[in-house]
Each structure stands twice: as structure tokens, then as C-alpha cells.
Amino acid sequence: MRTLLRTVIQVLFFIIVAKISDAFAAWIHSPIPGTIIGIAVLFILLKFKVIRMDWIEQGSNWLLAEMLLFFIPAAVGIINYKSLVVESGLRLTITIFLSTLAVMICTGLISQRFAAKKEGNSEC
Amino acid sequence: MLEAIFWLFITVAIYFASKRLYKAFPKVYLTPVLIVPIIVILLIQFSGVSFQSYNEGAGWLSEMVKPATIALAVMLYKHVDVLKKNVTAIIVSVGAGAIIAIITSAGIAKMLGLTKEITDSVAPRSTTTPIAVSVSDMIGGIPTVTAVATLVTGLLGMIIGPMIVKYFRIHSSVARGALFGTSAHACGISKALEYDAVAGSVAGISMMATAFITLGLAPFIMTWF
């Protein structure tokens, strides 16, 4: 029960940080979204021990573990774009599919090669 | 109000049920992010509810994407050593990936005869939604199309990512993280976390780097198309 309460409070903390960083980004008309500013600021606060990791770790773990749940309503929202799907859906999907494939193969292979070199393996 | 809470509850219940199912049978077509929206869409179509009234309750879940993204800061802090050690691998591979994403998206869209607006709209689709939408707006795309393309990117990325990892034998956690974070933004992070925490934090850093690169380079690259 106490763990549950702790997690809820810590999740609330992240919600508040998200609200503040969004408001800040809007206020300074930042082209960088609030979430990225939020990550950077929170990271710095952790680094300089202004915030201790164990104060917010449980909440962070829960949010990251259930991240998929938060995308579901957006995915369901695709039903709002029926005409786009009918007109260009197939071509759009092919574009996204092929491009994603290219990005994944390149990024994966390049970083694996670099990572392997570091570990001293000439073969990869 | 009651209806809103009902749909929120239904969505959460189906999600946790499908998560258990996926744990028991880890098949691609049982991935929660694929199967839950399909079930929910069928349910709201059959009950004749509009997306707007569905989203009145379930939309609260979308509000949680931002706090969950910020929660990555803890993950980054925990794995800062791994990130430091692999800084070159991450910068080079993510830089290449982010640029390839813009060029191939716009190039293939153009080749397939999609309109200029749609080509501009898909160009920034590999990065996180708020960045993708603002870049799209900058270069003359249609933000809603970009939002849909970005979402489809995330869903497709979660499905084909594990196949690429297997087929191309991507064993390193750093490489897995870079692959998922560059290609499938926050959806990719959640998939990378299924491997291990290092892959998850590299995916987080990769998503952020992709965001900055897309923001900085997409307007320039798109003058070629």
C-alpha cells in the first residue's frame, strides 16, 4: 500500500514537471518542445543532486513500463482519417515501411560496428 | 462523464489483458499496441460511439505521454556511463539514421506520386510527434497528416524492429537502442526497454538527438525535393 502511494505521488511529480516545462516552452516560444526541455532540466537536477534518484525512481519505472498504454487513444484516432487512408493510405504505408526499414538497418549496423570496435572485436 | 470513465476503463482493461496474453504468447500480431487499438476500434464502431466521445475519457491517457517521456531523465541519469562510453557510436549512427529518414521518406513519397503537401508532411515522421508536427508546419506540410504518419511510424517500427534485430544480428544493447530510438521515437523506446534498460536509455538519447537533427536539417534537406 505504501509502495502504491509512493508511486502515485511520484507519477504526479512527473505530471507537474511536464505541465511546467510545456508552459515554459510556450512562454519563451521555444521551437524545442517542453518534454525535451523537461528531460534536460530534470537530468541536470539529478546530476547535481538537487533531486535524489530514489525520490522519483518508482514513478519513473512505472511510467516507462506502461508507456504503450498511453499511445492507444492516439492509435484509435486513426479512424478520424478515413479519407486520407482511402486516398493515399497504401502509398503512405509503403513509404513509411521502406523508409523505416532503411533507417533501422543503417542505424543498427553502424552503431553495432562502432560499439564492437570499442570492445576490441575486429570482426562484427 | 460516466461514458468517458467507461471508455477509459475499457481501454485500460483491454490493455492489461492483452499485455498478459502477449507475455504468454509473444507473437508479433499479439503486440498490445497493434491488437488493443483494433479491438477498441471494433468496439466503438459496433456501439456507434464517435471518436470524440471515446477520447473524452481515454484521451486522459494521451496526456500521460509527456510525463512518461520526461521520466526518461531518470533512465538517462542511471546509464550516463554507458552513454558517455558510446558517444561516437550513438552520434554517428543516429545522425546517419535521422538524415536517411528525411531523405527516404520524402524521396519514396515523391516517387510514389504523393502530393507535395503529403511529401512534406511525411518527411519529419521519424522524430517525436511535437517536433515532427512543428517541422511539418515549417516546411509546408499538413500537421494532421504528419501526426498520423508519425504514429504509423511508431507502430510499424515496433513490429518490424525486432525482426531487423534478429535478421541483422544486432546483439549490442547500444545498437538496439539507437535503432529503436532513431526510427520509432517514444514507441521505439518502449520496445527497446523490452530488451534491457541500457537499450531503453540509448533509445531515449537517440530519440532526442533525432529530434534536434530533424529540427535543424529537415527544412534545409527539403529544399532538394
Side-chain angles (χ1 to χ4, degrees), chain B residues 114-123 136 139-142 145-146:
Chain B
L114 288 163
T115 63
K116 177 85 174 85
E117 281 87 14
I118 294 189
T119 305
D120 286 338
S121 310
V122 292
S136 164
I139 60 182
I142 313 158
V145 176
T146 305

Side-chain angles (χ1 to χ4, degrees), chain B residues 3 50 86 90 105 126 144 149 183 219:
Chain B
E3 202 190 7
S50 72
N86 294 285
I90 295 171
S105 300
S126 200
T144 46
S183 63

